[in-house]
């Protein structure tokens, strides 16, 4: 199935969501560990029998794909808390970006109106 990458998605989070391995997604899309994911990118999710990923070296996650210490023993809860905190921060940053974009658009319209007034006053 095709999936459109959302802001904040990682190969790990996508694999977990769909119950497939990171390696399976990487192979299906010709990705490497250093391949960037970006919001709006469409990737293929090979469904059909994969097991949910659990950690490096398990369920097809290549060792070294994630930084050391990301999966401490019994750290699933801490990892979920970190992910939730990062998702919340991403949402806050996206809201700030939208507000900034809106402000830039408003200022651009204001400049355009002022330029039109100047042209009219100069008789162009």
């Amino acid at each position: 199935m095709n999936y459109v990458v959302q802001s904040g998605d990682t190969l790990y989070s996508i694999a977990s969501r769909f119950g497939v391995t990171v390696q399976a997604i990487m192979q299906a899309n010709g990705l490497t560990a250093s391949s960037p994911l970006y919001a709006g990118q469409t990737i293929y999710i090979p469904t059909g029998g994969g097991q949910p990923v659990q950690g490096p070296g398990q369920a097809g996650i290549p060792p070294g794909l994630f930084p050391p210490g990301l999966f401490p023993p019994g750290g699933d809860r801490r990892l979920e808390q970190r992910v939730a905190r990062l998702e919340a921060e991403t949402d806050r940053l996206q809201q700030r970006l939208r507000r900034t974009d809106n402000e830039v658009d408003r200022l651009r319209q204001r400049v355009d109106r002022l330029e039109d007034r100047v042209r009219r006053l100069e008789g162009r």
Side-chain angles (χ1 to χ4, degrees), residues 1-5 29 31 37-45:
M1 72 176 280
N2 287 326
Y3 173 75
V4 177
V5 176
N29 293 280
L31 301 173
L37 285 183
Y38 56 90
Q41 177 181 8
T42 300
I43 61 173
Y44 178 75
I45 308 295

Side-chain angles (χ1 to χ4, degrees), residues 5-112:
V5 176
Q6 304 298 305
S7 179
D9 277 346
T10 64
L11 286 175
Y12 177 78
S13 67
I14 296 168
S16 293
R17 186 176 310 137
F18 292 99
V20 298
T21 65
V22 170
Q23 190 170 7
I25 294 174
M26 290 170 61
Q27 288 175 345
N29 293 280
L31 301 173
T32 66
S34 62
S35 297
L37 285 183
Y38 56 90
Q41 177 181 8
T42 300
I43 61 173
Y44 178 75
I45 308 295
T47 57
Q51 296 298 315
V53 290
Q54 297 170 344
Q58 301 172 355
I61 297 177
L65 183 61
F66 298 100
L70 183 62
F71 294 95
D76 290 343
R77 181 174 169 84
R78 287 192 310 183
L79 180 60
E80 288 177 16
Q81 290 171 339
R82 287 176 65 189
V83 168
R85 190 172 56 248
L86 291 171
E87 286 174 341
E89 180 64 17
T90 300
D91 289 343
R92 282 191 296 275
L93 290 171
Q94 285 177 327
Q95 289 172 353
R96 279 182 65 185
L97 179 60
R98 278 193 296 274
R99 284 194 303 266
T100 301
D101 285 344
N102 289 340
E103 181 67 11
V104 167
D105 288 343
R106 190 184 67 75
L107 291 171
R108 187 175 290 126
Q109 290 172 356
R110 188 173 173 193
V111 167
D112 289 344

